[in-house]
Amino acid sequence: MTYILGVNAGIGIFHDPAVCLVDEHGTVLAFVEEERPRRVRHSPGVKSPALAVAHCLRTAGITPQQVDVVAVGWDEPRMSARAGSPWHFDSPRHLLGQLGFHGTRLPDMQFIAHHQAHAASAFYASDYEQAAVLVADGNGEDECISLYRARRGHPLVRVERWPQVYSLGHLYEAASEWLGLGRRGAGKVMGLAAYGTPGGEIPAPGWLRAGEHGLISALGTDPAEDYYSTHRRWRKRIVQFAGTDGPSQPAALLDQDPAAVRVAAAAQATVEQVMGWLARQARELTGIEELCIAGGVGLNCAANGRLPQPLYVPPVPHDAGVALGAAWCLAAPREPRLLSPYTGGHPGPLPKGLAGAKVHDLEVDRVAELLADGRIVGVCRGRSEVGPRALCHRSFLASPVEARMRDRMNALKRREPWRPFGPVTHLQPELWSPIGHLDRYMIGAAHLTARGREALPAVRHADGTTRPQHLRPGDEDFVTAVLEKLTADGHPPVLLNTSFNGPGEPLVETAAQALACAQRLGADALATDDALLRLSPGSEAGA
């Protein structure tokens, strides 16, 4: 057996280090982001995800000595040359040591171009035989947007690319920082933007746009511009556009600040319009209608939902996904098969001394009754999902039939009250527009129908959209059974589904973390692999 360990690690990364272990057939054995075992969201500044390496090896039941190749999702020699610094022959050995590989038998190390790794992560996770691939993020080694042609059994072929002055990621990050939401506030910016689009009108200030001769950036065309200069220049453009250095309201009230809403809507409009043009370019240049998207911009659900099908976006399109893509560049799956997101660890046992909790056998009817009664239930079952979207293995679930549940869930999670939630269902109810594969991983926005807007107020966003998850047979049997019971009892076949974490935290990974989080935040119950815990208000794990 050959083992290949893909990593988002090394000198190129700024956030979201991750590790993925595959065999020679490209089968994913384990895939986890460093933030989960480290318990620091995005793990910024961590260049060597050693905890995730150990996690993946432990999950697969192998030792470091059994790993044959480590594939890095960045071309470090190319980056060193671009920076004008020498590439040292012992650099791979140094990085291997930081990742936990020691001794006389070390794995080989190979460096994969960042956007190539992104492209591989999206295409080989899809069920397409061939596809156009669009990669859009903050930056790779020296590009921010790339287009590829992908075919099973053939190398990826890049057909176009753009330098960092065209970076949608840098622009969106600058908007997030102007709004006071920090560098990693892109999801919040997307949610806030919906408050600035009454009647479906979307403003666009022309920061980035498609012209007669291609993509045009207000920053010019200089390929030498780097992250720091483009970010600084985008920030200056946003200040000029808004007419002020920042919002006049705190984060909790940004939806009531016209300047803040206008900036968010302008950034979102830019992303949607440019991604629409890039999708058309990808299809035209490759002659292929099937489209895959990767890169951090692929997390923009609103933009994804506006693109025509057929379209596939993996559950981990952001930088963590290059761990998967780098491994697949060396051992790609030959048969089209959709990636399962459940690649992490198991919950493990509950802690001893369950103060403030009543333990019951895990029964579908009992959980369905709690949800129908307006309770919030945390779910920590099976292998954890990779990526930022909770997909019912590490989720908070609730009934979406009353608008006040949105307020209660936002309060429970200590979130801004204007932020939206998404639904999960096991059926194809006529409650929102179809969005193809995008509803597998909660990675695309859909428009609620009139019936959906009336029936599901807790997951209805300001612009009439929602971000749904559709459970297919075999995806998550327990939550499917709960949904079936609710449907049989006359309730809508839908639940509110959101991530099982508190503010600034990654998703919970273990049952012990889940219990502590649920009790700290004030959830009503917790469902684990084999137990249902009723939680007392205000209790703390181990109290």
Side-chain angles (χ1 to χ4, degrees):
M1 180 74 75
T2 299
Y3 294 105
I4 301 167
L5 195 75
V7 297
N8 181 34
I11 62 175
I13 74 167
F14 297 95
H15 54 85
D16 297 306
V19 177
C20 179
L21 181 68
V22 307
D23 64 18
E24 70 267 29
H25 305 294
T27 304
V28 176
L29 305 175
F31 183 14
V32 69
E33 296 167 75
E34 177 76 2
E35 68 171 22
R36 304 298 176 83
R38 188 173 290 272
R39 306 311 301 158
V40 177
R41 194 168 187 178
H42 301 297
S43 294
V46 176
K47 303 290 186 179
S48 305
L51 296 179
V53 169
H55 190 289
C56 285
L57 298 183
R58 185 169 59 251
T59 299
I62 68 171
T63 66
Q65 289 71 35
Q66 291 176 270
V67 175
D68 297 280
V69 185
V70 172
V72 181
W74 293 87
D75 188 343
E76 289 202 359
R78 177 177 155 198
M79 296 176 68
S80 294
R82 176 178 168 84
S85 55
W87 172 247
H88 297 287
F89 70 91
D90 63 342
S91 294
R93 179 178 289 272
H94 177 70
L95 179 54
L96 286 171
Q98 291 181 318
L99 292 172
F101 294 93
H102 305 283
T104 57
R105 188 201 180 279
L106 295 176
D108 183 25
M109 177 169 278
Q110 297 195 28
F111 297 97
I112 309 297
H114 188 64
H115 276 209
Q116 181 182 347
H118 266 314
S121 74
F123 173 62
Y124 293 116
S126 77
D127 60 355
Y128 299 146
E129 286 285 356
Q130 62 176 5
V133 185
L134 162 58
V135 180
D137 62 3
N139 63 274
E141 289 81 8
D142 52 14
E143 65 272 278
C144 66
I145 301 169
S146 300
L147 305 180
Y148 287 81
R149 180 188 298 112
R151 289 188 173 92
R152 300 273 170 181
H154 297 273
L156 294 165
V157 178
R158 191 181 66 208
V159 297
E160 186 60 279
R161 67 172 181 164
W162 287 263
Q164 290 188 48
V165 285
Y166 297 90
S167 176
L168 289 166
H170 291 174
L171 168 61
Y172 216 79
E173 183 180 296
S176 180
E177 288 196 317
W178 183 94
L179 289 163
L181 300 174
R183 287 186 176 184
R184 309 288 170 244
K188 297 182 182 182
V189 178
M190 183 175 63
L192 182 63
Y195 292 88
T197 57
E201 298 178 4
I202 301 177
W207 293 324
L208 281 167
R209 60 186 177 86
E212 181 180 353
H213 301 291
L215 199 59
I216 300 171
S217 170
L219 303 188
T221 61
D222 186 358
E225 293 271 6
D226 62 9
Y227 166 79
Y228 298 101
S229 61
T230 57
H231 187 276
R232 182 176 62 254
R233 294 177 68 194
W234 282 132
R235 171 70 185 229
K236 184 177 180 180
R237 291 271 177 176
I238 292 168
V239 169
Q240 291 173 343
F241 174 78
T244 177
D245 288 334
S248 62
Q249 297 290 340
L253 301 175
L254 284 179
D255 60 318
Q256 301 175 32
D257 182 342
V261 170
R262 187 166 170 256
V263 166
Q268 181 63 29
T270 301
V271 168
E272 292 180 9
Q273 294 185 12
V274 172
M275 288 295 283
W277 181 83
L278 288 169
R280 292 191 295 273
Q281 284 292 109
R283 286 170 164 140
E284 290 174 7
L285 291 175
T286 62
I288 304 172
E289 283 302 305
E290 292 84 1
L291 177 66
C292 299
I293 292 179
V297 182
L299 287 173
N300 195 298
C301 300
N304 293 342
R306 287 179 172 269
L307 297 175
Q309 299 290 327
L311 174 65
Y312 177 84
V313 184
V316 56
H318 61 300
D319 269 10
V322 303
L324 173 66
W328 273 348
C329 282
L330 303 184
R334 295 185 178 181
E335 299 298 325
R337 184 179 181 181
L338 289 166
L339 174 69
S340 168
Y342 307 116
T343 61
H346 292 275
L350 286 163
K352 297 179 180 179
L354 299 176
K358 296 180 180 179
V359 183
H360 305 272
D361 290 337
L362 185 65
E363 298 175 356
V364 168
D365 289 6
R366 192 187 296 269
V367 174
E369 181 181 350
L370 286 170
L371 292 165
D373 194 37
R375 307 296 183 181
I376 294 176
V377 179
V379 175
C380 181
R381 291 174 42 83
R383 295 183 69 174
S384 60
E385 52 270 77
V386 71
R389 310 291 188 233
L391 301 173
C392 293
H393 279 203
R394 302 293 187 275
S395 291
F396 280 123
L397 301 178
S399 171
V401 300
E402 294 188 10
R404 62 183 179 181
M405 180 54 75
R406 189 183 95 158
D407 296 333
R408 186 190 168 197
M409 189 69 84
N410 269 325
L412 178 140
K413 295 195 63 179
R414 281 59 162 175
R415 302 194 333 166
E416 295 82 3
W418 44 265
R419 292 177 62 187
F421 293 104
V424 59
T425 184
H426 66 305
L427 301 174
Q428 285 285 22
E430 295 180 355
L431 298 172
W432 52 76
S433 58
I435 53 173
H437 284 314
L438 296 178
D439 65 10
R440 288 181 175 272
Y441 314 121
M442 293 187 103
I443 206 78
H447 285 277
L448 287 162
T449 63
R451 179 184 168 200
R453 291 193 296 272
E454 180 180 358
L456 309 172
V459 294
R460 182 184 66 226
H461 197 25
D463 59 355
T465 65
T466 195
R467 186 183 66 199
Q469 180 191 9
H470 175 209
L471 291 171
R472 274 74 168 179
D475 280 353
E476 170 34 59
D477 293 339
F478 178 75
V479 174
T480 296
V482 171
L483 285 163
E484 289 174 344
K485 173 60 177 173
L486 288 168
T487 305
D489 291 344
H491 300 281
V494 182
L495 288 169
L496 182 156
N497 173 24
T498 188
S499 56
F500 196 153
N501 60 344
E505 301 172 344
L507 291 176
V508 297
E509 180 71 13
T510 68
Q513 292 166 5
L515 178 60
C517 180
Q519 292 186 308
R520 183 176 69 254
L521 297 182
D524 298 299
L526 170 65
T528 68
D529 278 341
D530 52 14
L532 175 67
L533 286 71
R534 292 294 305 272
L535 307 177
S536 301
S539 63
E540 290 283 351

